[in-house]
Amino acid sequence: MSGHVVPLKVYFAIFATLMVLTALTVRVAFINLGPYNAAVALGIATTKAVLVILYFMHLRYSSKLTWIVVLAGFFWLGILLVITMTDYVTRSLPHLPT
Amino acid sequence: MQDSHAAAAHHPAFQHHFETMEQQREASTLGMWLFLITEILFFGGMFTVYLVYRNWYFASFAAGSLTLDLTLGAFNTVVLIGSSLTMALAVHSAETGQRNLLVAFLLLTILLGATFLGVKAVEYSHKFEEHHVPGPSFRFGSEELRHFHEEATALRSTQIHGVELGEVQLFFSLYFAMTGMHALHMVIGIGVLSVLAWKSRRGVYSPEYFAPVEYAGLYWHFVDIVWIFLFPLLYLITRHVGVHP
C-alpha cells in the first residue's frame, strides 16, 4: 500500500544541506548588510523550511490534494503577514506638507 | 488489485468506511496536514506580533537579542535538525519493516529532543539569573546598555537610539512566549514518540500500517520548522548591529 519510499541518500543530502545553510546564516549575520540582514536571514530560513517540507515531510511525493491544502495554508499565512505588515510598516512614513 | 484489497481489508487497523488501505492513508495524511496548518497559523500570529514590534522598537529588540547566547542557540539548531533526520530515518525504517531500527531511531529522536530541552533550560536559567524575565524584578542594567551602545554607536546608524526598558521587556515577553510554546510542542512530541517507541517494540507497526509513526514524524518536522524561523528572528537578525563596519 505504501507510497513512495524515499531513498536514504536523499535524507542525508537534505540533512547536509540544512547544516550548511545553518552555518551560512550564522556567518552572514555578522556581516553588516543594513536592512538586508533580515531579508537574507529569513530567505535562508524559508529555503530550509521548504527543504524540510518537500523531503522530510514527503510533500514532494504526496497527492495533488495534499499540495493544494498545504499551499492554501501558507497562502493564508501570507495574507496574515503581508496585509498586517503593509499597515504597520507604512505608519511612520513622512507626511506631505500641508 | 483485488488481492491487495482483500489483504488490506483484513488488516486490524483498516477502518470499514474506507475502500482501500491506500484511501485511508490518503485521508489521514490530509487530516494531519489540516491540523498542522492550524498550528502554522497559530505560530504565524505570534510571528506577526514579533515582526510588528521589532519594526517599531528596533533598538530595544536589538539590545535584547544581543544578550541571547548565540552558541547555545546554534547548537540547539543543529540538535533539532539532527532529530528531524533521525525521525525521517525512523519513518523509513517503519516503511521497510525494520522493527529494531525503528525503535532505535525513535529513541534517538527522543534523546535529541531532550537535549534541546536541556539546553533551553540552561538558557532560561541564565535569563532568570540576569533578571531578564519580564515582571516586577525585570532589570536591564546600565552594563548591558553600555555594552550595547559601545557596539551600536560604531555603526553610525540613525536607527540605534532610544533603548527603552519597557520595550526590552516586550522583546523578552515574546522570547519566552515563542520559545516556551515551541518547547511545549517538543514536550508533547517527546510524549507521543515515547508511546510510539513502546508500541513499535511490541511490533504494532508493519510496512502495511505505520500511519501513527508517519504523522508523528510530520508533527516533529513541523516543530523543527518553527525553530528554523525562531533561531534567526530571535538570535541572529540584529547581530550585525554589534559589528563594526
Side-chain angles (χ1 to χ4, degrees):
Chain A
M1 72 111 192
S2 70
H4 188 280
V5 177
V6 184
L8 283 180
K9 66 178 181 202
V10 172
Y11 287 137
F12 289 115
I14 294 300
F15 174 72
T17 313
L18 291 173
M19 285 292 120
V20 170
L21 286 173
T22 303
L24 185 70
T25 192
V26 172
R27 181 74 194 81
V28 172
F30 287 97
I31 302 168
N32 185 15
L33 303 170
Y36 296 107
N37 274 92
V40 170
L42 288 174
I44 291 174
T46 306
T47 309
K48 286 164 78 180
V50 168
L51 286 175
V52 171
I53 290 170
L54 283 182
Y55 293 96
F56 281 176
M57 298 174 88
H58 302 151
L59 184 64
R60 211 193 133 184
Y61 314 102
S62 294
S63 68
K64 284 203 174 68
L65 185 58
T66 311
W67 270 93
I68 291 168
V69 167
V70 173
L71 289 179
F74 282 102
F75 178 69
W76 288 115
L77 178 67
I79 286 181
L80 172 69
L81 288 170
V82 171
I83 294 185
T84 309
M85 291 317 285
T86 47
D87 174 6
Y88 284 104
V89 170
T90 53
R91 282 190 190 189
S92 57
L93 288 182
H95 295 281
L96 289 170
T98 47
Chain B
M1 184 63 215
Q2 278 303 322
D3 283 350
S4 71
H5 184 176
H10 284 105
H11 196 279
F14 182 69
Q15 304 287 316
H16 65 85
H17 50 275
F18 290 109
E19 298 243 321
T20 61
M21 207 66 172
E22 185 61 39
Q23 189 192 45
Q24 175 176 328
R25 182 186 151 109
E26 177 73 38
S28 50
T29 302
L30 199 60
M32 189 64 200
W33 269 109
L34 279 174
F35 165 66
L36 289 181
I37 283 166
T38 66
E39 290 270 82
I40 287 166
L41 291 172
F42 165 64
F43 276 101
M46 288 198 280
F47 279 113
T48 309
V49 172
Y50 175 86
L51 288 176
V52 167
Y53 284 119
R54 179 181 174 274
N55 180 55
W56 276 357
Y57 308 139
F58 180 80
S60 302
F61 271 48
S65 170
L66 285 172
T67 68
L68 297 180
D69 192 327
L70 180 57
T71 313
L72 290 181
F75 175 75
N76 255 354
T77 307
V78 172
V79 167
L80 205 53
I81 293 175
S83 79
S84 249
L85 175 68
T86 56
M87 188 67 231
L89 294 175
V91 174
H92 187 274
S93 308
E95 276 175 325
T96 50
Q98 296 164 287
R99 193 207 293 188
N100 290 337
L101 271 181
L102 168 59
V103 175
F105 280 128
L106 285 175
L107 292 178
L108 198 53
T109 310
I110 292 168
L111 183 69
L112 288 169
T115 307
F116 179 96
L117 290 174
V119 172
K120 204 76 230 160
V122 169
E123 287 189 85
Y124 274 15
S125 69
H126 287 167
K127 292 283 114 191
F128 272 92
E129 281 162 20
E130 290 161 1
H131 291 270
H132 286 169
V133 182
S137 70
F138 182 79
R139 232 176 30 224
F140 201 74
S142 50
E143 201 180 314
E144 285 109 323
L145 278 179
R146 182 154 36 77
H147 167 73
F148 174 68
H149 278 296
E150 271 170 18
E151 295 190 328
T153 45
L155 198 64
R156 296 187 302 268
S157 168
T158 51
Q159 271 185 309
I160 311 302
H161 55 77
V163 175
E164 300 280 343
L165 200 64
E167 297 170 7
V168 182
Q169 275 202 76
L170 187 61
F171 171 82
F172 284 114
S173 299
L174 285 166
Y175 167 78
F176 279 106
M178 294 169 93
T179 58
M181 194 49 76
H182 178 260
L184 176 65
H185 276 75
M186 296 216 47
V187 171
I188 294 168
I190 288 173
V192 170
L193 292 185
S194 305
V195 174
L196 289 182
W198 181 64
K199 287 181 123 180
S200 303
R201 220 174 88 82
R202 290 175 51 224
V204 173
Y205 306 115
S206 64
E208 287 75 43
Y209 174 71
F210 57 90
V213 180
E214 201 179 354
Y215 304 140
L218 287 180
Y219 178 83
W220 194 264
H221 297 312
F222 161 77
V223 175
D224 185 25
I225 289 173
V226 172
W227 182 259
I228 282 176
F229 282 98
L230 282 179
F231 174 58
L233 282 175
L234 295 173
Y235 291 77
L236 290 179
I237 213 161
T238 53
R239 287 286 154 179
H240 66 283
V241 167
V243 177
H244 297 256

